[in-house]
Amino acid sequence: MPLLEVDHVDVFYGDFQAISGVSLSLAAGKVLALIGANGAGKTTLLRAVTGLLAPRAGRIRFDGGDVTGLPAEALARRGIAMVPEGRMLFPSLTVQENLQMGTLTRRRGAWTLDAVYDVFPALKDLRQRNAMQLSGGQQQMVAIGRALLGNPRLLICDELSLGLAPLVVEEIYRTFERIRGADLSIVLVEQDVARARAVSDQVTCLLKGQVTLQGASQAIELSQVTAAYFGE
């Protein structure tokens, strides 16, 4: 049974349909790369999966249960965590206080403050510093650590590399092999298609709110990705 199933989901903003009949599934321990141009519907789909937007049609199932339309806080308690685009840290809190916000789900598991500091050792020395005083890459580490402290089954990462220097991006992606495991699935939105294919097990491409390509990452040719990405 897949951990996540999105079944013919439609999502609207008022009268505007942003997502039309999107379906995908993801097994436990696997990584799905969600790709597509700006405005393709990627973030809208993530918002539906995390409970920030309610689908007008279709179903979303998580860990065997129908979670369609449940609010974000309920889904967080069930084990869905998101690293949002732009990181969205709390500007009045320290690094450690921002991290501890992830524990509000009260889910138990292997992810503790010590475990996060082990993956991101740079944060340990900065833990009492205001989060807004950190570099963009360090703030992204805090955002990932905060999500992990919710001990999720599904980690959703929206544009991890956006606005970061290439060396910082490399450092963050090196942590993925330590983060992913048998009990954690990842949905990753990434503009760098080559990187997305390299770190994922499967790829779904969206164009104008619809799926144009799905398959195993290493089985999909770059020419197929290009055609699906641009609608050629």
Side-chain angles (χ1 to χ4, degrees):
M1 180 182 296
L3 180 67
L4 174 68
E5 290 181 280
V6 176
D7 184 15
H8 292 90
V9 162
D10 295 346
V11 180
F12 286 73
Y13 293 101
D15 293 330
F16 172 73
Q17 186 167 7
I19 291 290
S20 176
V22 169
S23 296
L24 58 83
S25 65
L26 180 63
K30 300 299 183 180
V31 177
L32 167 68
L34 186 61
I35 63 173
N38 290 336
K42 305 184 298 298
T43 296
T44 298
L45 179 59
L46 299 188
R47 288 173 177 167
V49 171
T50 55
L52 297 174
L53 286 174
R56 190 173 296 184
R59 313 306 298 173
I60 298 175
R61 301 178 184 88
F62 177 69
D63 202 14
D66 188 340
V67 298
T68 312
L70 288 183
E73 58 270 23
L75 293 176
R77 289 193 295 269
R78 289 188 180 216
I80 298 179
M82 186 172 183
V83 181
E85 180 181 347
R87 300 176 282 275
M88 304 296 288
L89 301 183
F90 294 92
S92 63
L93 301 183
T94 66
V95 167
Q96 183 152 304
E97 288 168 341
N98 267 280
L99 290 171
Q100 289 173 320
M101 295 299 290
T103 67
L104 294 179
T105 62
R106 302 190 183 280
R107 290 179 54 84
R108 296 184 178 182
W111 288 104
T112 63
L113 271 175
D114 286 341
V116 169
Y117 288 144
D118 184 52
V119 172
F120 299 116
L123 297 183
K124 188 170 186 178
D125 293 335
L126 300 169
R127 61 187 182 276
Q128 298 305 325
R129 186 172 297 183
N130 183 280
M132 295 299 101
Q133 295 176 341
L134 272 58
S135 68
Q138 291 166 339
Q139 289 183 15
Q140 191 66 283
M141 294 174 190
V142 175
I144 296 170
R146 178 181 61 189
L148 291 173
L149 279 169
N151 280 289
R153 297 287 311 282
L154 176 65
L155 179 66
I156 298 177
C157 302
D158 193 5
E159 301 282 13
L160 281 183
S161 60
L162 187 66
L164 301 181
L167 288 177
V168 176
V169 174
E170 290 291 341
E171 182 180 359
I172 288 175
Y173 271 98
R174 277 196 297 269
T175 67
F176 261 59
E177 285 305 315
R178 300 184 63 185
I179 290 172
R180 64 182 296 187
D183 292 327
L184 180 64
S185 300
I186 299 173
V187 175
L188 171 69
V189 171
E190 176 57 71
Q191 291 289 346
D192 185 335
V193 173
R195 184 182 299 281
R197 292 177 67 212
V199 301
S200 65
D201 300 293
Q202 60 194 84
V203 170
T204 293
C205 183
L206 296 182
L207 177 67
K208 296 180 180 179
Q210 297 181 312
V211 174
T212 53
L213 181 68
Q214 283 184 326
S217 300
Q218 300 310 310
I220 294 175
E221 300 291 336
L222 187 58
S223 60
Q224 293 176 280
V225 175
T226 301
Y229 199 99
F230 296 105
E232 298 175 353

